[in-house]
Amino acid sequence: MCGIFGYTGNKTNAANIILDGLKGLEYRGYDSWGIAIKVNGSIESEKHVGKIGNAQTNLPTSSIGIGHTRWATHGGVTVENTHPHTDCKKQVAVLHNGIVENFQELKDELQKKGHKFVSETDTEVIAHLIEEYLKTKNFVDAVRETFNNLKGLNAIVALYTKSSQIIAAKNGSPLILGVGKGELFVASDASEIVKHTKQVIFLEDRQLAVLDKKITLYSLPGGTEIEPKIHTLDWQFEKAEKGEFKHFILKEIYEQPRVIENIALNRRGEINNLAQMIDEARGTFLLGCGTASYAALASVYLFSSIAKKHVNFSIGSEFKYLEDYLTPNSLLIPISQSGETIDVVDPVEKAKKKGVRVAAITNVLGSTLYRQADFKFLLGAGVEKAVIASKSFIAMISTLLLTAYTLAGKQQEGIEILKNASNNVSQILKDETIEQIKKLAVRLEKADHIYVLGRGLSYAAALEATLKIKETACVHAEGFAGGELKHGVISLIDKGIPCIIIAPNDETFDEIISNAQEVRARGAFIIGIGPKNNQVFDEFIQTADVKEGTLIPQIVISQLLAYELALVRGIPDPDKPRNLAKSVTVK
Ligand code: AGP
């Protein structure tokens, strides 16, 4: 959460360079943004509530500065709570990503010492604590001592009027440093650094970096100097443009046929390795958060029905309460588009200490999860800019489906299924289905509640379809296993309430149709998505029958419905839903 970008170097338009960096990092949080630069021994800053959009900066020229785009945790969305935060004398400016769990007690002590606070944030405490330590220490030691006092997972960046240094410290939230020609960068992820330089340093937990002409690294808490490890990222900076599409989410939905094909045709070697690791492991555990957790859940059904193999699933944020049964013979498969979700990164760190093998499935090269893992499977879906995960989920499902077929010794059959699924998605994206979905969205515009039912593998699909509707169109939606209907939730069904039925042509079909009959009997409006129509459906959206791969076109149809519903409901920016961020780096 929150995007951080800092610059010091030989160029004098630091504020512009930082603003450009923040624009690329805004998917990490877009409640408010701010920049601070050093000019003639003082700090000048600007702060704004809302998204950056096409904003320009009015800050004067400078060759050193820091900037932040915020996802609010402590304190409302106001100018006062926008970063950077300063100390009483406005000599220290601080940015922060994370949560200072002990901020209140630190604040109380500082107020007793006369410090005046202007914001409700946990972050402002950091600026005043540095100010306090500067009374007796130099800037580096003041920041080091301050950071050592912070409880929780945090990343901070600081600027000081009396120093030419930018200081960054990290424990948990990501920070990457860039080494350019006569210029240095610090950012929350490498995507905005690689457009300036391919030479990067991944700041590790409990490390502090001083950026001043060169980068000096120190370990925390002690401050022992350590040799920086410079990596050359042979990335092509992929400027994510919308092209002819109105929103990134639509562009990324239309990229899915290529994403599926890439996994079907170009990843056999890695899929073989992953299948072998699962085959050899004594207990395989897949975990993820949000959309990635539904891919992990789907894998339980895929491996069971295709490969007769039991694997375990857990939500990332719950896994730390479960992982005590892991052994060095276990295999952990964390799934994360960003590779930065703290509720996945944290339990992986704990598992590694127990000697557990980690095979990570992620979409971001160089992310924390990518660097943590023993085996790294890159989804290859390309940059996903929309906060709403679409192509990354379909890439996750394609990978897990093909791995299950590989484990069953039927890889070619799995490849055919993915190719057919990709063709069906291409078909859906160019035929009358789009118009049908647009009309259905208009019909659902006023719905206050939408329910999605599925059984078996389709239960995982129902949960993902529900999440897309919730986060894209901001409508209350609930997904549940069809069999759970009569155990309570059917009490929510009333006349006209839309119920989406995920109905593939498999062993769940007859029973899910019975469930559809049960909600129809209470007056629900039934929308069926699948290869086989049925008279219980008031609306039917056809897909091809591609066996277990049928959930791929079913999910793509749900993504499109959620997007069209967002448009008819006048959601301002479907790419950046309110209160969300693309990678969740706080607990
Ligand atoms: C999905 O549309 C959401 N943005 C969210 O649930 C997301 O899937 C979750 O935060 C996990 O992100 P990750 O895959 O980057 O770990």
Side-chain angles (χ1 to χ4, degrees), residues 444 446-450 475-477 569:
L444 300 182
K446 297 270 182 293
D448 295 328
H449 311 284
I450 297 176
V475 181
H476 168 249
R569 289 169 59 87

Side-chain angles (χ1 to χ4, degrees), residues 62-279:
S62 166
S63 58
I64 181 168
I66 57 176
H68 184 272
T69 174
R70 182 180 187 226
W71 188 84
T73 60
H74 292 62
V77 177
T78 64
V79 169
E80 293 72 28
N81 290 337
T82 300
H83 302 208
H85 290 281
T86 56
D87 62 324
C88 301
K89 299 193 234 37
K90 304 213 174 325
Q91 294 180 331
V92 175
V94 167
L95 306 173
H96 171 225
N97 179 6
I99 292 178
V100 179
E101 290 166 3
N102 59 335
F103 88 99
Q104 196 56 55
E105 67 203 67
L106 293 171
K107 187 172 181 174
D108 297 346
E109 276 162 40
L110 288 160
Q111 283 175 321
K112 281 197 209 103
K113 292 187 178 131
H115 288 264
K116 297 275 175 288
F117 284 74
V118 297
S119 81
E120 304 156 286
T121 66
D122 52 339
T123 306
E124 191 185 350
V125 160
I126 304 169
H128 292 278
L129 206 48
I130 294 172
E131 177 184 18
E132 198 57 32
Y133 279 112
L134 279 170
K135 290 177 180 163
T136 56
K137 299 179 184 302
N138 64 28
F139 187 33
V140 177
D141 290 341
V143 175
R144 183 168 58 79
E145 288 301 341
T146 295
F147 195 77
N148 292 342
N149 275 281
L150 308 182
K151 286 214 181 81
L153 299 172
N154 295 291
I156 69 171
V157 175
L159 196 60
Y160 179 35
T161 52
K162 298 188 181 140
S163 163
S164 59
Q165 302 162 324
I166 289 178
I167 301 183
K170 161 195 181 334
N171 181 34
S173 309
L175 276 182
I176 292 100
L177 313 170
V179 184
K181 292 198 176 52
E183 51 189 7
L184 303 171
F185 304 85
V186 55
S188 300
D189 72 38
S191 62
E192 286 306 312
I193 288 186
V194 286
K195 69 168 91 166
H196 299 281
T197 173
K198 308 263 186 260
Q199 309 293 307
V200 303
I201 297 168
F202 293 102
L203 203 57
E204 299 298 346
D205 283 353
R206 289 172 293 290
Q207 288 187 349
L208 178 145
V210 177
L211 286 70
D212 187 7
K213 308 260 177 309
K214 65 182 180 63
I215 292 177
T216 316
L217 280 194
Y218 301 91
S219 65
L220 293 170
T224 313
E225 187 168 343
I226 44 182
E227 188 57 37
K229 240 200 301 7
I230 298 187
H231 300 258
T232 302
L233 293 183
D234 54 4
W235 290 5
Q236 282 324 305
F237 172 67
E238 200 184 324
K239 182 123 187 63
E241 305 282 3
K242 290 185 199 140
E244 86 242 33
F245 295 95
K246 200 154 168 256
H247 296 107
F248 279 113
I249 184 173
L250 194 61
K251 168 183 173 272
E252 288 154 9
I253 288 173
Y254 274 74
E255 289 174 350
Q256 297 182 114
R258 174 190 61 72
V259 168
I260 302 164
E261 281 222 348
N262 169 42
I263 288 168
L265 304 177
N266 309 326
R267 316 300 299 278
R268 287 178 225 204
E270 294 153 282
I271 297 270
N272 287 338
N273 296 344
L274 185 57
Q276 191 179 348
M277 290 173 83
I278 295 169
D279 199 29

Side-chain angles (χ1 to χ4, degrees), residues 409-423:
K410 300 186 282 184
Q411 187 175 75
Q412 194 48 45
E413 191 180 332
I415 289 171
E416 291 313 313
I417 285 174
L418 291 182
K419 283 162 68 176
N420 294 337
S422 170
N423 294 341

